Amino acid sequence: MITQDPGNAVALSEAGWLEFEAGVLGGSKASLQQGQSTEERAVSVDPGLPAAHAYLGSMFFLEKNPAQAVVQYSEFIADRRPLPS
């Protein structure tokens, strides 16, 4: 989906999270960095995407950066998008 639509925030967010998790599980610093970079891109493409903020907050939390985690979790909580019907 990213290759078809590189500006798709949902696809970017999911891909970033999966890459980051692969880095956690595999101990790959490059995957950790790539995952976080992709997640940050998802947030910049769609600042109101709740999942991107939740994932990015978790990344910051795991990196022992609580201040940035709180910022992202606050954005996640503040989002008021209606749920799909």
Side-chain angles (χ1 to χ4, degrees):
M1 186 185 247
I2 291 176
T3 55
Q4 294 172 354
D5 183 5
N8 184 314
V10 173
L12 287 168
S13 181
E14 296 300 322
W17 181 245
L18 291 173
E19 185 71 31
F20 187 85
E21 283 296 298
V24 169
L25 295 173
S28 169
K29 187 171 183 160
S31 287
L32 293 171
Q33 291 171 338
Q34 180 62 42
Q36 185 168 335
S37 174
T38 302
E39 205 63 54
E40 289 170 347
R41 193 162 136 228
V43 167
S44 86
V45 168
D46 185 353
L49 183 63
H53 290 289
Y55 293 152
L56 193 52
S58 296
M59 291 172 182
F60 285 129
F61 179 77
L62 291 171
E63 294 169 347
K64 307 215 182 322
N65 188 342
Q68 287 299 317
V70 167
V71 169
Q72 294 303 317
Y73 288 142
S74 295
E75 290 292 324
F76 167 71
I77 291 168
D79 188 22
R80 300 283 188 242
R81 283 190 188 183
L83 296 173
S85 330

